[in-house]
């Protein structure tokens, strides 16, 4: 008779420890790849589904741009709740904003590409909303080719808008519209 086999050490870890390990290992996964760890075994799936930090990291490494898999992005956003989220290389596109709308209050970092006047107007409207009050870092990138097209004047943000905003990178022409008293770090491009 063969001796009973021991389960692998990873399967005998307490869920709290396994969650920390999986969250750490997930920092190298992006978007759809982040789901792969949930397919290893039932225990890992249960632990990951109960680890919003893991999914918040998956959100920060996902591409929020036109043509992105909106069902995947919605899934990742839902699982990341209630954690704060960071959006890198995002685009202000109606389909993306629709997905993000229920989660704007959790966005603390927004690195956004603005490629048209409409996108800049849309971004300005979003920043006026009280749900954007948790935003701490805003990085606005304007491709050089579009810079001359977007020399628009915008009304300043409403009083009290973006109370947590500490770090801003903005085109010079947009700065008067977005400067808020809470700013500590400013980069004008």
């Amino acid at each position: 008779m063969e001796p009973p086999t021991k389960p692998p050490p990873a399967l005998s870890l307490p869920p709290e420890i396994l969650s920390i390990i999986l969250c750490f290992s997930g920092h190298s996964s992006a978007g759809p790849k982040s789901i792969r760890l949930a397919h290893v075994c039932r225990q890992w799936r249960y632990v990951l589904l109960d680890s919003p930090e893991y999914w918040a990291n998956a959100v920060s490494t996902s591409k929020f741009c036109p043509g992105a898999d909106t069902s995947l992005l919605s899934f990742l956003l839902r699982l990341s709740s209630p954690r704060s989220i960071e959006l890198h290389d995002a685009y202000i596109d109606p389909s993306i904003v629709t997905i993000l709308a229920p989660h704007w209050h959790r966005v603390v970092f927004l690195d956004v590409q603005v490629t048209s006047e409409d996108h800049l107007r849309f971004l300005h409207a979003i920043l006026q909303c009280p749900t954007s009050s948790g935003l701490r870092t805003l990085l606005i990138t304007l491709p050089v080719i579009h810079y001359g097209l977007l020399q628009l004047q915008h009304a300043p943000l409403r009083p009290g808008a973006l109370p947590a905003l500490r770090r801003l990178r903005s085109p010079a022409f947009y700065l008067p519209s977005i400067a808020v008293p809470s700013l500590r770090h400013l980069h004008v491009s």
Side-chain angles (χ1 to χ4, degrees):
M1 177 180 258
E2 293 183 28
T5 58
K6 289 174 78 175
L11 294 178
S12 60
L13 291 172
E16 299 81 14
I17 303 298
L18 184 57
S19 175
I20 292 168
I21 293 169
L22 292 174
C23 286
F24 181 74
S25 68
H27 286 278
S28 61
S29 299
K33 293 180 182 177
S34 59
I35 295 175
R36 290 182 183 167
L37 286 178
H39 293 286
V40 170
C41 68
R42 186 180 309 152
Q43 181 189 15
W44 285 27
R45 184 171 31 260
Y46 290 143
V47 168
L48 285 175
L49 289 173
D50 197 32
S51 300
E53 180 182 350
Y54 180 82
W55 301 107
N57 180 62
V59 166
S60 75
T61 58
S62 295
K63 297 295 179 194
F64 285 82
C65 58
D69 183 349
T70 55
S71 60
L72 173 64
L73 296 176
S74 294
F75 175 76
L76 295 175
L77 285 164
R78 191 173 58 254
L79 289 176
S80 69
S81 185
R83 301 290 267 170
S84 297
I85 52 179
E86 297 183 2
L87 304 176
H88 298 267
D89 297 322
Y91 287 79
I92 297 298
D93 176 85
S95 63
I96 298 300
V97 172
T98 301
I99 292 166
L100 287 169
H103 306 280
W104 272 120
H105 67 283
R106 298 190 296 123
V107 177
V108 296
F109 180 101
L110 177 60
D111 179 1
V112 64
Q113 304 282 327
V114 176
T115 57
S116 72
E117 291 180 17
D118 289 339
H119 289 171
L120 187 59
R121 284 188 190 103
F122 207 41
L123 174 63
H124 194 74
I126 290 167
L127 297 175
Q128 294 276 26
C129 295
T131 55
S132 296
S133 63
L135 189 62
R136 293 189 297 250
T137 299
L138 175 60
L139 309 176
I140 302 171
T141 302
L142 184 67
V144 175
I145 194 167
H146 299 293
Y147 194 81
L149 303 174
L150 297 176
Q151 303 282 336
L152 303 174
Q153 295 296 321
H154 290 273
L157 294 175
R158 65 175 174 71
L162 305 176
L165 188 64
R166 300 291 185 265
R167 186 171 168 231
L168 172 66
R169 182 184 69 210
S170 170
F173 74 89
Y174 190 53
L175 185 60
S177 302
I178 196 161
V180 294
S182 60
L183 283 176
R184 300 293 178 260
H185 304 280
L186 177 63
H187 181 263
V188 179
S189 55

